[in-house]
Amino acid sequence: MDFTPSEGQSAAQGLAARIFGDLSTHERLAAAGTGTDAELWKELCAAGLPGAVEDIGLLGLVLLLEEQGRTTAQVPFAATCVYGLLAVAEHGTAEQRERLLPGLRDGTAVATGVFPARGGVHTSGGALYGAAPWAPWLRDATHVLVADADRALWIVEAGAPGVAVTPVETTAPWSAGRLVLDGARGERLGDGPEAYAAVLATARTAFAGLQAGVCAGSLARAVHHTVTREQFGRPLSTNQGVLLRAADAHMDTEAIRVTAYEAAWRHDERRECGAQALTAAWWASEAGKRVVHAGQHLHGGTGADLDHPVHRHFLWGRQLDAYLGCGSEVLEELGLLLADSRREDAS
């Protein structure tokens, strides 16, 4: 395994870091409320970053999402890339790729997905019926990737007849919405459960990368606070308890990052990556939760301020803890996967 970024991946990451750092500021995030920063999304698309994901792969996307997570930038970057660009590029027909990818590359189209499938959507007579309690960035989406009860994937246009979207507020400000399908028409994507499993593994890997960035940003704020804030004539960072808590948070952040890198690298190398994606998701859930709590606690009383920037990292970290399966869920799924693999090897 070699996680060293390619020249293209490094260039894209550097560009993303500059754009997110310049535009995803505390003041702009406060002004955006729970919605999307449209100007930031426009700038990212003008720089060609969503479209670049087709060239730099899932590992490149993970690197870009780390930069988004560091600043908790409120743009539908992960959702559009995972449920739109990569899903269509990898599982779509030639006609679907030619028709859908240009809009997803330039930002005129925004995608999201109803994942993981909970059996809330079914087909009847070629139409889709059912509801999903929420999906990230659904209020901005032009296309929604939906899995029916048989794990077949469907692309649904958000403004089509039979599709209703109701705004929903989630822990993190992800411009979420509730989706109701009542006789909606969609188009198939990929070949049944195999495509669904592949997209879910890609999503878990990508959002683990986003969690790595959220945790890194939270820890960076905590380090700055404890180094510059003095108590009894010395910096807080000189206290052993503070040092140990920060060190644990650093190790947890690195564990999220390296497991996301491994799953993404295996995906790009066309190797089996289902177990690795679940491992990354478990670390993102369990360790991510610990890190954002530590970041808030290390700020002391300041961390209790709901308007403080570190609180955004806490909200994002808790949302990502549960999205696509909390730690216990993905651990059970990983155990079943490994048990099935062992039985196949023994037979």
Side-chain angles (χ1 to χ4, degrees):
M1 289 180 288
D2 183 4
F3 304 150
T4 305
S6 66
E7 184 178 346
Q9 289 170 339
S10 295
Q13 184 181 23
L15 179 59
R18 180 178 63 79
I19 294 174
F20 284 126
D22 289 346
L23 297 183
S24 185
T25 63
H26 175 61
E27 293 73 22
R28 289 176 64 94
L29 288 168
T34 61
T36 296
D37 186 333
E39 289 302 314
L40 174 55
W41 179 238
K42 182 179 178 180
E43 186 72 19
L44 291 168
C45 295
L49 286 176
V53 171
E54 294 175 82
D55 297 320
I56 61 178
L58 182 55
L59 180 55
L61 175 59
V62 166
L63 294 173
L64 300 184
L65 292 176
E66 276 193 77
E67 301 305 327
Q68 179 185 0
R70 290 178 199 275
T71 60
T72 59
Q74 292 173 201
V75 287
F77 195 19
T80 293
C81 290
V82 169
Y83 302 123
L85 276 162
L86 292 179
V88 173
E90 295 178 3
H91 305 288
T93 64
E95 188 277 331
Q96 286 175 323
R97 293 195 295 270
E98 182 179 358
R99 173 167 47 88
L100 296 173
L101 288 178
L104 293 166
R105 291 179 187 129
D106 64 22
T108 55
V110 173
T112 190
V114 179
F115 277 72
R118 305 290 189 187
V121 175
H122 65 277
T123 58
S124 178
L128 295 166
Y129 295 86
W134 77 280
W137 310 108
L138 185 58
R139 283 180 260 167
D140 302 323
T142 57
H143 297 80
V144 187
L145 191 61
V146 178
D148 63 24
D150 297 321
R151 299 295 193 266
L153 293 180
W154 299 83
I155 301 174
V156 177
E157 291 188 15
V163 180
V165 174
T166 305
V168 171
E169 296 301 334
T170 53
T171 300
W174 284 5
S175 194
R178 181 174 187 267
L179 179 69
V180 176
L181 302 174
D182 186 11
R185 295 288 173 175
E187 57 178 304
R188 283 289 302 273
L189 182 73
D191 298 321
E194 293 80 9
Y196 167 79
V199 173
L200 180 56
T202 299
R204 281 172 165 158
T205 303
F207 280 94
L210 184 61
Q211 181 75 301
V214 169
C215 291
S218 175
L219 183 57
R221 292 187 182 279
V223 168
H224 179 266
H225 175 79
T226 56
V227 167
T228 57
R229 184 69 175 265
E230 292 190 357
Q231 188 177 60
F232 304 119
R234 62 177 185 170
L236 290 172
S237 60
T238 60
N239 293 319
Q240 188 177 41
V242 172
L243 289 170
L244 292 174
R245 190 77 187 276
D248 286 342
H250 170 73
M251 294 304 296
D252 273 337
T253 301
E254 288 301 298
I256 301 169
R257 177 180 289 118
V258 74
T259 52
Y261 284 5
E262 181 185 5
W265 177 83
R266 292 182 68 90
H267 171 277
D268 292 343
E269 292 293 317
R270 300 295 185 264
R271 303 189 184 193
E272 176 58 44
C273 61
Q276 288 75 20
L278 285 166
T279 302
W282 183 84
W283 276 103
S285 175
E286 294 294 312
K289 187 165 43 183
R290 291 194 295 266
V291 173
V292 295
H293 274 268
Q296 189 136 335
H297 290 165
L298 287 172
H299 277 76
T302 307
D305 182 359
L306 301 185
D307 295 323
H308 193 280
V310 76
H311 189 64
R312 285 197 192 88
H313 293 271
F314 176 79
L315 295 177
W316 278 64
R318 290 313 307 255
Q319 189 72 62
L320 285 163
D321 159 39
Y323 184 51
L324 300 180
C326 66
S328 57
E329 287 179 293
V330 296
L331 188 62
E332 179 184 19
E333 191 175 338
L334 177 59
L336 293 172
L337 178 65
L338 294 177
D340 288 342
S341 177
R342 181 165 295 183
R343 280 194 293 268
E344 290 176 4
D345 292 340
S347 61

